[in-house]
Amino acid sequence: MEIPVSEWRGTLVFRGVNRRYQHLRRYRQIAETLLRHGFGYLLQQLDLVYLLPWRRRLFKLEQDDGSSRGRRLRLALEELGPTFVKLGQMLSTRGDMISSDIIAELQRLQDEVPGIQFPVVREQIEVELGCSLMDAFDGFQEHPIAAASIGQVHRAILHGQEVVVKVMRPGIDQVIETDLEILHGLARIVQERYSTEVFDPVDLIEEFAREIRRELDYTIEARNAARFRDNLAHDAQVHIPRIFWSHTTGRILTMELIQGTKVNQIDTLKAKGIDLQAVARRGATSFMEQVMIHGFFHGDPHPGNILIEDDGTMALIDFGIVGRLDKTTMENLADLFIGITKQDIPGIIESLRVMAVFASKVDLVELERDLDDMMFRYYGKVLADLSMSAIIEDLLNVTRKHGIRLPSDFALLAKALLLIEGVGRTLDETFNIFEIAEPFARDLLKERYRPDRIAQKALQSSWKYGQLLMHLPAKLDTTLDLVNQDRLQVIFRHKGLEELMVRLDIASNRLSFALIVAALVIGSSFMVQSSRGPALFGLPVLGVAGFLIAAFFGIWLIIAIVRSGRI
């Protein structure tokens, strides 16, 4: 049946109004949460005070319980729900942008919520798989073994084999999309009001949106697991769970059940006779292979995602967060690693130049001095005495100070390396990740200088520059034609002036309004004193009417100023 145009337009208008109302309500929740946790000054700086209730604007704007800003931020993000928890977890990897005290708190963010009721789980599975739960599985455990904001995990039996089934929370994608639209809006406000070269807020939110949307599609996590399984198939000591594609969709993920002991349960591992030193080296070796050979690594190797089976095999789970590195980035990382181990300051700077984005006014002399001070703390130490976590933290502090923006995958790699080193030292006090990583880095650099690889690069460069030279005459001819025809235009774009123009427009409007109110008051005063025109209760009607109109518009102006938060 064809829908009438008027009804179709009405539906679109209703949806648009409803969407704006949902956004406004969510904006108010965010504003009140920030205020409650002592971040009211942010609302003032971003001109979002008008979102707060009147009583909060007029009486007490800021609340602060005296705790650290990192703790208050963590509590605020947890209160705001799954999107903001995920945002905090992503920011916890960005030591190049955020100070270490805040990162330490963000790493404690909890993503645990009450589980979904089983009837809802059953309905979600049956809709996704197109059959009843009993037909889909031989057995299914009603109570989840883990629950998070995006989904929860159940044990089940499929074709006689024990499996785990991840089920996405119904409606979570709409909640996250609404929050992402709001975060984009806030990021644009920050970008317009504050000029910073350390990070681009809009790019940061867009990157976050891409990551969280990947988590909303379980087939992506399934493909990640399958790729890890293929990459590490040669290593019998590393176990990647098998994916059951017949029972996997965008909202349902079914994989092999891994039974083992968490890698940080030292006493249990010792009781089972597991060689802890061998486990530490195996885990670090596997991770360096992922980074330096495959360019595809597990982005969250915390102890809960690394299990040790009874025979000593290491198993990896949870492949929602992964890092990807192209060949060039892998080689640049190897250069940076070798530069650090050799304490080669110019080499470190050159590696950063190639792989990072430098602010326009980086003082290279000061940068070299800071790197030299950093490396001096490790001068004379042998490789076995170096700490990866300490060096990475110092390096991120230096890059943050000088406005050097690192690639997001490098920030994720830095966090993963810290986790791997922490796990390794928990298992073995003598563990040193530099000793394991150095051979991989050297092999990668040797690969760069293979004769056939050099010849291939030379051929590619020759072809690229040859194409450029072939098309250069035509492009020059087109440019000269534009000049001859007076059609060549140079466009200047002024950044940041739009906000200034809006503010000037608002200020001038308010000033004009105030002048009109003042004129009404003065004119009405003359009318009352002259006692001319019709009277009511002994007072001139025109004079009283002028006072009433002036009072109405004056109160209206005061309300507008109070709502803006600029009072």
Side-chain angles (χ1 to χ4, degrees), residues 9-298:
R9 287 177 177 170
T11 302
L12 288 180
V13 170
F14 173 77
R15 287 180 179 175
V17 171
N18 186 50
R19 195 175 193 84
R20 285 194 294 271
Y21 172 73
Q22 288 179 345
H23 285 193
L24 179 60
R25 186 172 56 181
R26 184 59 169 155
Y27 264 117
R28 285 177 175 169
Q29 290 175 352
I30 295 169
E32 290 204 58
T33 301
L34 291 175
L35 182 70
R36 193 160 44 248
H37 291 281
F39 293 102
Y41 63 91
L42 291 179
L43 301 178
Q44 289 180 313
Q45 292 175 355
L46 299 178
D47 276 344
L48 297 176
V49 176
Y50 70 90
L51 295 171
L52 295 169
W54 284 69
R55 57 185 177 82
R56 305 299 292 275
R57 284 183 245 165
L58 294 175
F59 297 105
K60 189 174 178 68
L61 185 63
E62 190 76 20
Q63 295 182 9
D64 188 346
D65 61 2
S67 58
S68 69
R69 59 177 180 171
R71 180 177 183 277
R72 288 185 282 114
L73 178 60
R74 173 175 62 83
L75 293 175
L77 294 176
E78 288 178 347
E79 186 176 329
L80 287 172
T83 311
F84 291 83
V85 169
K86 294 290 184 184
L87 176 62
Q89 290 173 341
M90 187 201 78
L91 291 176
S92 71
T93 68
R94 301 309 303 261
D96 56 323
M97 296 190 302
I98 301 174
S99 59
S100 57
D101 61 319
I102 295 180
I103 286 180
E105 283 290 340
L106 293 181
Q107 289 173 346
R108 298 174 57 194
L109 277 166
Q110 299 297 312
D111 191 21
E112 297 179 359
V113 295
I116 317 169
Q117 295 297 319
F118 182 68
V120 179
V121 173
R122 177 196 295 271
E123 181 181 1
Q124 180 86 316
I125 292 175
E126 291 179 347
V127 168
E128 288 295 311
L129 299 183
C131 61
S132 70
L133 184 66
M134 298 305 295
D135 290 337
F137 296 95
D138 301 329
F140 197 93
Q141 190 178 92
E142 292 189 13
H143 298 288
I145 58 177
S149 54
I150 290 182
Q152 66 185 40
V153 183
H154 292 258
R155 292 180 66 165
I157 299 176
L158 178 63
H159 307 318
Q161 181 175 351
E162 287 191 283
V163 297
V164 292
V165 183
K166 291 181 71 171
V167 184
M168 189 174 297
R169 289 179 177 271
I172 190 65
D173 48 349
Q174 289 92 343
V175 172
I176 289 177
E177 284 299 329
T178 296
D179 284 345
L180 287 177
E181 290 179 14
I182 290 173
L183 286 171
H184 271 108
L186 294 174
R188 283 192 291 271
I189 293 174
V190 173
Q191 188 179 55
E192 290 170 359
R193 293 177 182 273
Y194 303 101
S195 175
T196 173
E197 293 183 317
V198 177
F199 74 102
D200 184 318
V202 174
D203 285 350
L204 182 69
I205 295 302
E206 288 177 353
E207 175 194 329
F208 168 66
R210 285 192 297 271
E211 290 299 323
I212 198 170
R213 283 173 180 143
R214 288 192 188 112
E215 293 190 49
L216 291 174
D217 184 354
Y218 283 159
T219 60
I220 294 178
E221 181 177 348
R223 289 197 296 272
N224 290 340
R227 182 171 173 180
F228 275 111
R229 191 175 172 87
D230 290 341
N231 288 347
L232 304 176
H234 65 280
D235 191 346
Q237 295 299 310
V238 178
H239 185 184
I240 306 297
R242 172 192 168 197
I243 300 297
F244 292 86
W245 289 102
S246 61
H247 288 66
T248 294
T249 69
R251 299 173 186 270
I252 305 292
L253 173 60
T254 304
M255 67 174 67
E256 173 189 0
L257 172 68
I258 301 293
Q259 293 184 325
T261 305
K262 289 183 180 180
V263 73
N264 60 345
Q265 295 178 345
I266 304 300
D267 293 338
T268 305
L269 292 175
K270 287 181 177 179
K272 291 183 176 182
I274 304 296
D275 186 342
L276 300 184
Q277 288 186 338
V279 169
R281 293 192 64 84
R282 186 179 308 131
T285 301
S286 175
F287 183 77
M288 297 315 302
E289 178 184 340
Q290 295 169 35
V291 174
M292 297 293 191
I293 295 179
H294 304 296
F296 186 76
F297 61 91
H298 198 300

